[in-house]
Amino acid sequence: MAATPGNDAGPPPTSTMESEGIFSSVAFFYSSRVLLLVVVLWVIHVVFIRYIQPPIMAYFLNRMRTVYNKAMDSFKQELLKDLESLRPEKSTESEKESVEEPAANGQTTPGITVLEIGVGAGANFKYYPEGTEVVGIEPNPSFAGYLGKNAAEYYPRVRLQRTVVAYAEDLRGHVDDSSVDAVVSTLVLCSVKDVDAVIKEAKRVLKPGGKFYFLEHVCAEPGTWVRTIQWLIHPVWFYFGDGCQLMQTPWVNVDQAGFSKVLYKKFLAHPKLIRLIRPHVMGFATK
């Protein structure tokens, strides 16, 4: 009987099977190495973010505190001198006892309660008026030693009431509604996870008529070479800068937060600062 085409096909040639086996072994070898590399890089990333970066950032920003304050001194003075407008008037004797702080001349002055978001090493303490009580919000516990030392320098003119180790996106359980006269944020909104949530919390904790003060580096004007460089370098800056973002527009978020009054201005900071972070905005929003 004649053989039907295709019915007498035998097993694949040995050389073909060997080639496929070699290819599978090589693919497994390299894929396992790639997987191992991914795992190692992930572990390094976690260790860096959780254990190495926080103390490095605390040390670096404490050192930069003096440099930035020198470069931004006039702007910080202009912004935070408005805190005096929030000083409560003296009223009943019981209210005096709860809000007044002893002044240098022995007399008492009604105090101002400030919630500072990202209090860090206490860079703003020198700009707070006499009788200010500060509630500090700081998610990085590595700042504690620097903050305690710097706060002591300005005591009793400014008193650190307490420090809350938490993120500013949700402060419920830490700070009561309508409990502070002012909320201050300087160089913080660039690195929070949710700008709108932070501003919403700031508004929640402010007393009626209280103010949210902000001073932030922001993205450069559209069409400028600085804006292009900011966009190009942003991923690296974000990773090594503890989540700092160069392309933020926080004035837009403040405008949309429902405050009764918002005032701000955009400007270029002192040439001592690198060009990428010279574009700034500062202002305040009234509840």
Side-chain angles (χ1 to χ4, degrees):
M1 184 173 63
T4 303
N7 289 342
D8 60 346
T14 304
S15 59
T16 302
M17 297 179 62
E18 290 178 349
S19 298
E20 291 178 352
I22 293 173
F23 176 80
S24 299
S25 299
V26 171
F28 175 79
F29 176 83
Y30 282 105
S31 61
S32 62
R33 266 49 181 183
V34 169
L35 178 61
L36 178 61
L37 178 61
V38 170
V39 171
V40 170
L41 290 176
W42 181 81
V43 171
I44 292 174
H45 164 75
V46 171
V47 171
F48 176 74
I49 294 296
R50 292 187 179 180
Y51 304 106
I52 299 176
Q53 190 177 59
I56 290 177
M57 291 302 297
Y59 173 79
F60 173 74
L61 292 177
N62 180 60
R63 294 294 298 268
M64 286 297 297
R65 172 178 56 92
T66 304
V67 176
Y68 185 78
N69 275 353
K70 284 183 178 179
M72 301 296 293
D73 185 71
S74 62
F75 297 107
K76 282 195 172 186
Q77 287 190 47
E78 178 185 349
L79 178 67
L80 297 178
K81 70 180 180 181
D82 186 74
L83 283 167
E84 282 289 354
S85 68
L86 301 176
R87 192 180 295 279
E89 297 181 0
K90 295 183 179 181
S91 50
T92 65
E93 288 300 321
S94 61
E95 287 174 333
K96 288 180 188 179
E97 292 176 2
S98 64
V99 301
E100 291 181 357
E101 291 289 334
N105 58 10
Q107 299 180 349
T108 56
T109 304
I112 303 170
T113 303
V114 171
L115 175 76
E116 183 168 349
I117 300 171
V119 66
N124 292 324
F125 279 42
K126 66 177 292 187
Y127 299 100
Y128 291 148
E130 183 176 331
T132 300
E133 291 208 0
V134 180
V135 177
I137 306 299
E138 179 52 60
N140 185 351
S142 298
F143 275 109
Y146 304 116
L147 177 60
K149 180 180 179 180
N150 294 329
E153 181 180 349
Y154 298 101
Y155 181 84
R157 184 177 64 81
V158 176
R159 187 169 75 92
L160 179 62
Q161 187 184 100
R162 61 191 173 100
T163 304
V164 178
V165 180
Y167 291 97
E169 284 85 349
D170 186 5
L171 297 175
R172 295 183 184 276
H174 299 294
V175 186
D176 294 334
D177 295 358
S178 304
S179 60
V180 300
D181 300 302
V183 175
V184 174
S185 168
T186 61
L187 299 187
V188 172
L189 296 181
C190 62
S191 58
V192 300
K193 296 178 181 178
D194 188 335
V195 176
D196 290 325
V198 171
I199 296 174
K200 182 179 179 180
E201 279 294 88
K203 186 181 176 185
R204 177 184 67 81
V205 303
L206 281 171
K207 297 176 181 178
K211 295 181 179 180
F212 170 51
Y213 297 89
F214 55 96
L215 171 65
E216 305 288 342
H217 72 82
V218 297
C219 65
E221 292 296 324
T224 61
W225 68 267
V226 177
R227 175 85 167 234
T228 301
I229 298 300
Q230 286 178 330
W231 180 80
L232 289 172
I233 202 174
H234 174 75
V236 176
W237 186 280
F238 177 85
Y239 185 78
F240 289 101
D242 197 19
C244 178
Q245 303 183 60
L246 293 169
M247 305 297 290
Q248 292 284 56
T249 56
W251 66 89
V252 176
N253 304 85
V254 176
D255 267 334
Q256 298 173 349
F259 286 95
S260 64
K261 182 180 181 181
V262 177
L263 292 174
Y264 61 83
K265 69 176 182 180
K266 292 187 282 185
F267 61 96
L268 286 180
H270 196 282
K272 285 184 178 179
L273 301 181
I274 63 174
R275 193 66 177 86
L276 288 177
I277 61 171
R278 283 189 65 198
H280 272 60
V281 65
M282 75 175 191
F284 64 83
T286 306
K287 182 174 179 178

